[in-house]
Amino acid sequence: MAVFGTNDAKVLMPRNIADGMVKASKTLSTVARLSPREPQRFGTTDYITFNDIPKMEFVEEGADKASQGTSFGSVTAKPHKGQVTLRFNEEVQWLDEDYQLGILREVADAGQTALSRGLDLGLVHRINPLTGTVINGWDNYVTATTKRVVRSAGVDADAEVRAAVGLLVNDSKTVNGFAIDPKLSWDLAGLQALSGGQPTGTPRYPGLGFGTDITDFLGIPSAQGDTVSGLPEAAADTRVRGIVGDFQNGIRWGVQRELPVEIIRYGDPDGQGDLKRKNQIALRLEIVYGWYVFANRFAVIEEAAA
């Protein structure tokens, strides 16, 4: 049976391909590597928060038990729909099934990269990956934090990381993750041990190698990726080089809908011209993320404005 039937409007991607796509998407995203995905229903999802942390009381035998005042609040994770549309010559419909499955694998390869980078760019920067521009209507994203360390000439990169961690620790916030741009990891890997205030030629952090795949820095789980800076999708460099913070509890995100691949045979679904006129079909892959970010639980390391 052909994968691209002439009458079907939807195609269910073969399970082995779909599972691989979801798995690879997770390994490509810095957010997904540091922050656990959780189940979410479609639509807005409310999370209950304590405004005052409850405290246990030790009670002596026969003594009265005291109560304490507390209050509840809530935050809302909103859905964000993403899509990838790819065009092919319509002759693909007439090819054998093995070749059509190969096309689906290509779609999966492109989709896993696009979907994982889209999660980072939206949740961290509120950037639309296709246009590279900021989505002004979004007000909940990681880099909205006011805790920021601006890099300075002559200051070692590890001192700047410590300064960012200090902003959180001194505000009683937890640090359990470090998203790092390759430019910053290269700087960290290039630092030399000092003796008498002078470089010794010995790497200060030999475990970093060339800084090409950092998974841990000074005991903090780390994930490296160029989505930290927003490039190359961003219309302009965000100047962000590192993000430290509470990735375990400061981000609540999940996939609300993993939609099948849609076959589009008519119209102009992406502004690139009429499909029938161009003898093309389009395949569209969609996903719905939901997330909420507690931005005050994160600190940003960034380059100074030019």
Side-chain angles (χ1 to χ4, degrees):
M1 178 179 178
V3 176
F4 304 131
T6 56
N7 295 317
D8 295 335
K10 299 275 186 180
V11 174
L12 288 177
M13 187 173 287
R15 176 51 53 190
N16 64 320
I17 297 178
D19 286 347
M21 182 180 68
V22 173
K23 181 179 179 181
S25 295
K26 182 174 180 180
T27 61
L28 289 169
S29 165
T30 56
V31 168
R33 277 180 281 169
L34 295 171
S35 178
R37 167 182 165 179
E38 59 187 55
Q40 286 191 359
R41 294 178 298 176
F42 178 70
T44 58
T45 301
D46 292 331
Y47 293 103
I48 303 301
T49 61
F50 277 110
N51 293 330
D52 298 296
I53 299 175
K55 300 177 181 66
M56 185 190 76
E57 177 190 25
F58 288 110
V59 182
E60 298 296 334
E61 187 172 353
D64 293 337
K65 301 179 180 69
S67 65
Q68 54 188 295
T70 188
S71 60
F72 296 93
S74 67
V75 296
T76 301
K78 297 179 180 179
H80 302 282
K81 186 176 184 179
Q83 68 88 25
V84 179
T85 301
L86 302 172
R87 287 184 175 231
F88 299 89
N89 290 333
E90 64 180 358
E91 286 80 0
V92 70
Q93 300 171 95
W94 309 323
L95 298 171
D96 63 50
E97 185 173 352
D98 287 342
Y99 192 91
Q100 292 185 6
L101 285 172
I103 295 294
L104 277 185
R105 291 190 180 92
E106 291 296 323
V107 172
D109 288 344
Q112 69 193 25
T113 301
L115 296 177
S116 61
R117 293 183 68 83
L119 174 64
D120 283 9
L121 292 165
L123 190 153
V124 175
H125 301 290
R126 65 169 180 168
I127 288 175
N128 185 336
L130 184 61
T131 64
T133 56
V134 167
I135 303 173
N136 290 315
W138 290 8
D139 59 3
N140 184 246
Y141 55 101
V142 172
T143 53
T145 180
T146 59
K147 296 180 174 69
R148 315 185 83 86
V149 172
V150 179
R151 304 196 67 190
S152 302
V155 178
D156 287 351
D158 57 350
E160 294 166 332
V161 175
R162 287 187 174 89
V165 172
L167 290 176
L168 295 166
V169 172
N170 291 326
D171 192 30
S172 301
K173 300 296 190 295
T174 299
V175 177
N176 52 37
F178 182 18
I180 181 170
D181 182 75
K183 297 181 182 68
L184 180 57
S185 62
W186 170 255
D187 288 348
L188 290 170
L191 292 174
Q192 297 181 21
L194 302 176
S195 177
Q198 298 300 314
T200 63
T202 302
R204 192 177 301 177
Y205 305 105
L208 299 186
F210 284 108
T212 56
D213 188 22
I214 294 180
T215 58
D216 179 276
F217 183 68
L218 295 178
I220 302 176
S222 304
Q224 179 180 291
D226 57 10
T227 52
V228 174
S229 68
L231 297 176
E233 288 91 345
D237 187 352
T238 64
R239 307 193 314 278
V240 175
R241 297 294 178 258
I243 302 167
V244 295
D246 185 1
F247 281 87
Q248 295 296 309
N249 300 296
I251 295 173
R252 308 295 294 269
W253 76 278
V255 176
Q256 298 188 352
R257 284 290 187 274
E258 292 170 337
L259 305 179
V261 176
E262 180 183 4
I263 303 175
I264 306 173
R265 294 187 172 87
Y266 304 98
D268 183 6
D270 53 4
Q272 302 301 312
D274 183 76
L275 289 169
K276 296 301 291 183
R277 181 179 183 184
K278 293 181 175 294
N279 296 310
Q280 293 177 327
I281 64 171
L283 299 182
R284 175 168 288 165
L285 175 68
E286 295 181 318
I287 194 168
V288 179
Y289 290 119
W291 67 69
Y292 186 85
V293 174
F294 296 87
N296 66 338
R297 301 186 189 182
F298 295 89
V300 165
I301 304 162
E302 61 187 344
E303 302 285 357

